[in-house]
Amino acid sequence: TSSANYGKVYNPSANLVSSANLDTFARRHLGPTPDNVDHMLSTIGYKDLDEFLSHAIPEHVLIKRPLQIEPKKGFTESEMMDHLNSIALKNKIVKSFIGKGYYGTKVPPVIQRNLLESPEWYTSYTPYQPEISQGRLESLLNFQTMVSSLTGLPMANASLLDEGTAAGEAMSLSFHNLKGKKTKYVVDTDLHPQTLNVIQSRATNLNVEIIQLPLSTNEGIDQLKEILSDVCGALVQYPATDGSLSVDNFQKVGELVHSNKGLFAMATDLLALTLLKSPAEFGADVALGTTQRFGVPFGYGGPHAAFFATNLKYLRKIPGRIVGLSKDRLGKPALRLALQTREQHIRREKATSNICTSQALLANMSAMYAVYHGPKGLKNIAARVYGYTTILADQIKNNSNHEISNGKWFDTLTVNLNGELADEILAKALKFNINLYKVDAETVSISFDETVNEQDLVSLVEVFTGNASFKFPEQLPTIAEELLRTDEILPHKIFNTHHSETSMLRYLHLLQSKDLSLANSMIPLGSCTMKLNATVEMQSLSIPGFNQIHPFAPIDQAQGYKQLVDEFEKDLNDITGFTATTSMPNSGAQGEYTGLSLIRQYHKSNGDYEKRNICLIPVSAHGTNPASAAMCGLKVVPIKCLNNGSIDINDLKAKAEKHSENLCSIMITYPSTYGLFEPGVKQAIDTVHANGGLVYLDGANMNAQVGLTSPGDLGADVCHLNIHKTFALSHGGGGPGQAPVCVNDKLKPFLPLHTYLKTPHSTNESIKSVNSAPFGSASVIPVSYSYIKMLGADALPYASSIAMLNANYMLHRLKEVYKILFVDYSASTNDGTKHCAHEFILDLREFKLVGVEAIDVAKRLQDYGFHAPTMSFPVAGTLMIEPTESENLEELDRFVDSLLSIRKEIDAYANGDPAGGVLKNAPHSIDDIVSTSQLDWEARGYTREQAAYPLPFLKYSKCWPTVARLDDTWGDMNLMCTCPSVEDVVADQA
Amino acid sequence: TSSANYGKVYNPSANLVSSANLDTFARRHLGPTPDNVDHMLSTIGYKDLDEFLSHAIPEHVLIKRPLQIEPKKGFTESEMMDHLNSIALKNKIVKSFIGKGYYGTKVPPVIQRNLLESPEWYTSYTPYQPEISQGRLESLLNFQTMVSSLTGLPMANASLLDEGTAAGEAMSLSFHNLKGKKTKYVVDTDLHPQTLNVIQSRATNLNVEIIQLPLSTNEGIDQLKEILSDVCGALVQYPATDGSLSVDNFQKVGELVHSNKGLFAMATDLLALTLLKSPAEFGADVALGTTQRFGVPFGYGGPHAAFFATNLKYLRKIPGRIVGLSKDRLGKPALRLALQTREQHIRREKATSNICTSQALLANMSAMYAVYHGPKGLKNIAARVYGYTTILADQIKNNSNHEISNGKWFDTLTVNLNGELADEILAKALKFNINLYKVDAETVSISFDETVNEQDLVSLVEVFTGNASFKFPEQLPTIAEELLRTDEILPHKIFNTHHSETSMLRYLHLLQSKDLSLANSMIPLGSCTMKLNATVEMQSLSIPGFNQIHPFAPIDQAQGYKQLVDEFEKDLNDITGFTATTSMPNSGAQGEYTGLSLIRQYHKSNGDYEKRNICLIPVSAHGTNPASAAMCGLKVVPIKCLNNGSIDINDLKAKAEKHSENLCSIMITYPSTYGLFEPGVKQAIDTVHANGGLVYLDGANMNAQVGLTSPGDLGADVCHLNIHKTFALSHGGGGPGQAPVCVNDKLKPFLPLHTYLKTPHSTNESIKSVNSAPFGSASVIPVSYSYIKMLGADALPYASSIAMLNANYMLHRLKEVYKILFVDYSASTNDGTKHCAHEFILDLREFKLVGVEAIDVAKRLQDYGFHAPTMSFPVAGTLMIEPTESENLEELDRFVDSLLSIRKEIDAYANGDPAGGVLKNAPHSIDDIVSTSQLDWEARGYTREQAAYPLPFLKYSKCWPTVARLDDTWGDMNLMCTCPSVEDVVADQA
Ligand SMILES: Cc1ncc(COP(=O)(O)O)c(C=O)c1O
Ligand SMILES: Cc1ncc(COP(=O)(O)O)c(C=O)c1O
Ligand SMILES: O=C([O-])O
């Protein structure tokens, strides 16, 4: 990692053009040119990058084990595309009528191009800064409204990770709702198998007992009655996994559960709900499921958005993010994330869910699918699916010996075969390039979807009846009246407006134009690593060989994915210094949950499961850490930090020793959440090990480690990697994420299993599934895989090095006028506190005295066209800045200049200069500038130009906030989490 | 075309869901719902669409011959994608080192995704409204700067259609520069064959004699000297088509030509010029060529941008559009199209070029390619190409019996084979999936490009030398000093800034965010037909099977294109009522030129070529019509129009009879450029026929005809179709276009030939090529093909019907307060003047009296978030509005409401109300709102809110102008058509 080598990595042909291909990736990914690097180094007082690193990272941490990743020099961009395409071709695209929660769908091309493939949509962050996020907030509100309308329940969140974890959330909501006093949770036997497995995984750690009952039968009801007093809730699937619609008993189940204060939840299907009675009509408290079939491709299991709706009683208990309507400082309606005090980062170990990153991008796709089709279009699709299913059912019934075991259906038939084996039927179907689902040796199931066509049906009639000349009837059968819902769906204006492509395009464009994304300017969110999401990386999401594979497709059809997962594991093992990896967890928080579950399973294998139930967590930790520990049934013991930000090793020692008998684990983030390569990390690790605990390393800050050190080299036992941070997957405005968990040999035997296929390393000691799909959001893996493969062993360490240099350069320019937390300029070289790592904390607390808050600075930054750094994490009253390696010197300087300019505004405010008011009124929306009356404006003491163009570069390029500062309190007090109905709008206008 | 059928076309499943696929296209393409249609019909006083049409179109014109297009109901979107992909698969992707003006290139993914695939870029119009076009104007300025820097010539235009036509322009510039007095034009024998053919085509009609001389030899120079007194100019190719760099004589050629007042032009290659001496160093007056290899794929011949640079002397003679720097009303620097009085629409029959639509989108791609790579990156690419070429040359020389006929080279070798035939070598290369070029039976040529890799070289060494184990040398050979240029290339800041993908992405995003495109709001440009460019249609441009085919690839590798062109022709014949089509012309103006050339050839075949040289053109015609006629050597005789806008049939009769002996043709547009289905069209056609002329129908207004009438049914002989209007190809901010020409049996035998392959219908009476590639911009054909195939025979007539209904609805709402030109509300049904067709003209001339000009209304519309309608064409002081069928009722109403609101502002101005000043200060840029001092603002008499948000919908959605009204005069007087150099910027800042 010398400066000289950087020149070569940056442009191998700078001096001498070789025969090699020129479209190398490093210089596209890394912002600073070699000249910039020299400039930054000399600014902070070094001659060489290596010299800088040796001053910034403790010697015993800076290991620089050479990475083995091939190709060493990295694929060029075109080589990568060729390579990715060749892998994708090894996945065989077969029409999959497998169902089980995953259905074929047609992605509307206008949505594919202008949302999924639009960096303006996919590179934005979770909308914590609502004034520059009104576009995706509006889209997420549409999502909530869609879910609410279809389920009939008044509240919905803005997505969860997948159906399995959503079911897990329903279970824990039920459990915690009764304060953990009732420990039985009943699930229908007709749940999707993978959903059951995820619930069981979660229940184990909470000591909840999962009871499977055939709730659609009278026996089931009777059995439920018997145990009712211990039951905190029940979950049924509607339509059931076998396709049945045995709805007669559901109302009864709900009543029974309610009679005992339990919660009644239904896992359901939005397409079915466009026609069928809603969960609300059955008395459900919770409805959940996936929105995948609303325009999001299979992706071999993900990413897709799950939904979770409740009635108002559970408003404050609903997991995940909720978008709500509020108003801005000027009284204009404006959206923002509501009720944030529910969230894990606030509630920490008291949280009942650890969900953080969810599936915003996919939720937006699904919501837009509903906007595009509207209620009529969706019903047309559903009616057609039903019609096809019924024709096939009639053919099987009338013209074969097979029996259909479900008496009613929407899209799925389960067929008990007579005289033929499931494998034979599957093989026949495959001749027509169709996959069915094998239930058991003599049973198959078929689930139709939007993509079924006449030829498919004709083929399947032949498969099941032998009749090769089936004639399609003139009319499609229609669904029985008594199953139909009678209320109107999606009456809101938004679902009844944009049905032409022109109109849809404009709506998508309008919303993105209200948002700040990486396409505008840097998003220096500490702990979030908002680096370049390169086109070559992201385009893999559009490759049919990756996105059109059903997660339960026969594995010989998914050999491309096998290669991908295997190679990805190999590279991640190398990067982390570990020996095995699971690609199952689909968010950082899920990774934490998985890692801790592995540790618990390890202790269990030693007979220490019950005993070892304490998890040490430094007070500086991200809120998901204690929340995940709590979900694993662990007791959190906080570890103090010193004034300099480091873990208080003495406190750690004391607590580890005190709890030595019960020590399960420690969770640490490295470099710390304070952005420091604290020197005590190895000591901390050793201490925990010495006391029988294992070490969980939160990989959120992995971007400072790659090629320089590693969790394994440091001695940890397990880590997760947020590929949506370090490994270049876009943040998607709040997801998708994906978080492989890497482990050492101790934990390898416990890596999670899956009900459908043998996951890598799974054994009979494996933990259960942590989410629905065997490889989580598998289709995003190519993104990170190509990131790694294009940088290669040679350039990867520079990503970390330049990220650190960028951060320290900014720090250096800011430190004269702002306090920087914890960095000790006088510290000795090699103790890791003389410099920040890849992020640093601006301490704004001193300005409180003069009346200026961190939020004022954060909001004022929007007027400079920037997204605020992370606010008040990990320390209240501060801003944490992480530039990443992808920002170039010009952009770093623009950002620093903005903060320096704001510093002067703070002085103005402190001095009573009315111009300082610009901080309190920030951000200044275009509306504010345009519509504020002259009288009101003059009272402000600064000009519109000072408000909007405080620095000259803004006249050439500025991303504008579209609303003024949000009023959060008002919004939470007047909660409104769905689109206003047409009647409301009409009433408002009257 | 009844209203009832519209319901079925719009949503076939509205009442009963059938087995058919649901993703039908008609309702995505057509804006109004059936309910909207009823509303609009009743507003204008009709019950049914058919009834409306029968009142709007003369009975003898409204023919409604049922279209035969298959599938009748149209492909659904997914069927279309499958079908397109299956056609694309019939094109075989082979690495083509064929050269001859077309080279492999790597499209930078960030440009592909964020420019080529971005509707914000591709749906914008030619930047005639600069205040809402600063983004693409900046990009085109970069293009001009790039061309200027690389050629060494100070002026460049913003693209031409292709290298062949650019060479044609050089020839006519030379010819016209000497007022047509010298009639010999000398071209080097080493020109690309297709370029020569295009020049010859153009020369024929101008009576210019093309003389081929071997200008790189001394004999050539001697021959030149002999004829010098008759020579208006000379053109050489550098590097030459055989690859040679025999530059020694070029200076001499230039001097000789200059000595006799002629112009010296060089066709050249931008990649070569990154290393080699520039044309300016040889004394060239003109440098031209293609920018294709700068990041624009082959596309089987196009679209790509040609460039054309000159020295300052020829500033006002340069063909095509030129972007220049000016300032806005507030003194802020701002870009706009400069020197517009040069353009054909102003100069009409005095024009020397008819170029109108050019290749803006592709020019932008190439410019961005240079921005992305910068001077160093481009030189790296060029050096590598040279190195590979030289290694292969050395291998052939040293290890085979073959001879390389060009002594020096950049990227191309011409190999005289010894002991082997060209076909054998080609076959061997094809085994390695490589195409070479067959020069003759014993000669091949190879042109390397950016895509060549080690494996290719190793393969070709084996092909030529038999050595299968060639070892790549450590070092690449470098180019000889004496050939190198010594001046710096691309020193401008813009080519030295955005080299990281993050930075490039932001630059692309920033520029598009300054522009209004169809992604923002409707662009109601009369005569331009700015309809939906659907994703399914446009995505075909990204399909490798379409875009990676070299135009001179062996035809068995282009069977997909063959099918496409054949089917497309069949459908266009059906739509136009003609019998044959050529897909060669790559713009509307090129179509005109082609059609007129065919007519001249027809007369020639009757021995009437010299005699029949008069073209009748109504005064209302688009400027390209007389310009094209002039290029064809025709004398234009204008035909009057009546007060009601119709052609003055008496005048026509009189002139046709007067010129009966000499009548070549008439050019008419139908419905007329006044937007009327004038009743006299058949009479006009008959009159011309009776006097021995043929009838050219300008298809610009075809969007009012499809399925309702047709040029063939009306009795015309030939028409062109702007597929970038009627057939949904996006306008691209000023191109690409494509204009198939359809003819009846009379003209079929003359359809153009191509030097490389046999084009459909070509005979030995064929005219020469009208542009370089056999099928013009072939890769955009799938766009229009899929438009036609997705609407199908059933829905296509609705596109025209709804376009007409939309226009008439708007007209109806506007006519109370604005004069509408030519529409006669009291006219009898069936004479075609009671209603407008698909566009209408707002007559603003009465407001001149009170001081309000059409431009004030046009600019004020920007404040309402809209692009102005076509201004002052075809009548000065008017606006021509064409909504197209893709706009929905809401958008039509927003636009009408805006014009109604402006009407009140006109009254205010007329009444001396200072609020009326809002018209004169329009448009109000954000800067104006932000930075105008309070004092200045108060002098205005209206508020900022009135300026920016005159109607409430603008608060939710508004596309802002980024500069205030442009000062055109200042700009033309202070012409500046390249980016300021870094020195200028520094000087400015000092
Ligand atoms: C330190 C740390 N740990 C864990 C997480 C949780 O990751 P995720 O949001 O993917 O669940 C975050 C997210 O920002 C984080 O910063
Ligand atoms: C009536 C008419 N004819 C011809 C043309 C020229 O077409 P193009 O711009 O494709 O050369 C136009 C362009 O707008 C037009 O409106
Ligand atoms: O470009 C036009 O002249 O319409």
Side-chain angles (χ1 to χ4, degrees), chain A residues 125 321 354-357 527-528 587-590 592 622 624-625 669 673 698 700-701 720 722 724-725 737 873:
Chain A
Y125 195 69
R321 295 173 182 136
N354 67 350
I355 175 100
C356 181
T357 292
S527 197
C528 300
S587 78
Q590 283 287 97
E592 297 168 18
H622 192 263
T624 52
N625 289 6
T669 303
T673 53
D698 179 327
N701 288 346
H720 80 263
N722 297 61
H724 45 305
K725 299 184 175 181
F873 170 76

Side-chain angles (χ1 to χ4, degrees), chain B residues 72-84:
Chain B
K72 278 228 160 43
K73 287 181 191 307
F75 283 126
T76 67
E77 297 202 35
S78 52
E79 287 164 359
M80 191 72 231
M81 288 192 277
D82 291 347
H83 183 69
L84 277 177

Side-chain angles (χ1 to χ4, degrees), chain A residues 460-536:
Chain A
L460 287 173
V461 168
E462 183 176 344
V463 167
F464 283 103
T465 72
N467 173 10
S469 55
F470 169 69
K471 285 294 291 174
F472 216 97
E474 283 288 304
Q475 289 213 349
L476 290 182
T478 54
I479 213 155
E481 285 282 347
E482 77 266 18
L483 296 169
L484 291 179
R485 69 191 296 163
T486 52
D487 54 336
E488 203 183 345
I489 61 163
L490 305 174
H492 320 78
K493 182 154 187 249
I494 193 62
F495 299 111
N496 294 278
T497 303
H498 302 300
H499 299 160
S500 77
E501 179 165 339
T502 298
S503 187
M504 190 71 204
L505 165 65
R506 289 187 191 146
Y507 187 54
L508 288 163
H509 176 82
L510 173 68
L511 294 195
Q512 65 84 355
S513 74
K514 297 186 176 197
D515 289 5
L516 188 150
S517 73
L518 284 178
N520 297 101
S521 52
M522 88 160 141
I523 301 183
L525 284 165
S527 197
C528 300
T529 315
M530 296 293 285
K531 61 171 64 172
L532 169 69
N533 315 120
T535 312
V536 172

Side-chain angles (χ1 to χ4, degrees), chain A residues 76-124:
Chain A
T76 67
E77 298 201 38
S78 52
E79 287 164 359
M80 191 72 229
M81 288 191 277
D82 291 347
H83 184 70
L84 277 177
N85 284 321
S86 78
I87 295 180
L89 282 176
K90 294 181 190 166
N91 294 326
K92 206 167 154 247
I93 299 176
V94 174
K95 206 151 194 180
S96 288
F97 297 131
I98 292 174
K100 306 291 140 188
Y102 304 92
Y103 307 89
T105 181
K106 294 183 179 179
V107 187
V110 63
I111 296 177
Q112 163 120 2
R113 171 159 285 192
N114 299 289
L115 197 164
L116 180 62
E117 297 174 355
S118 160
E120 288 85 354
W121 280 95
Y122 64 66
T123 70
S124 59

Side-chain angles (χ1 to χ4, degrees), chain B residues 2 12 25 117 170 219 237 257 314 345 389 437 483 579 631 655 704 712 719 743 772:
Chain B
S2 69
F25 180 63
E117 297 174 355
E219 301 79 62
Q237 184 123 19
V257 172
Y314 307 104
H345 59 273
T389 309
Y437 185 74
L483 297 169
T579 54
M631 280 175 62
K655 290 190 174 142
C719 73
V743 298
S772 293

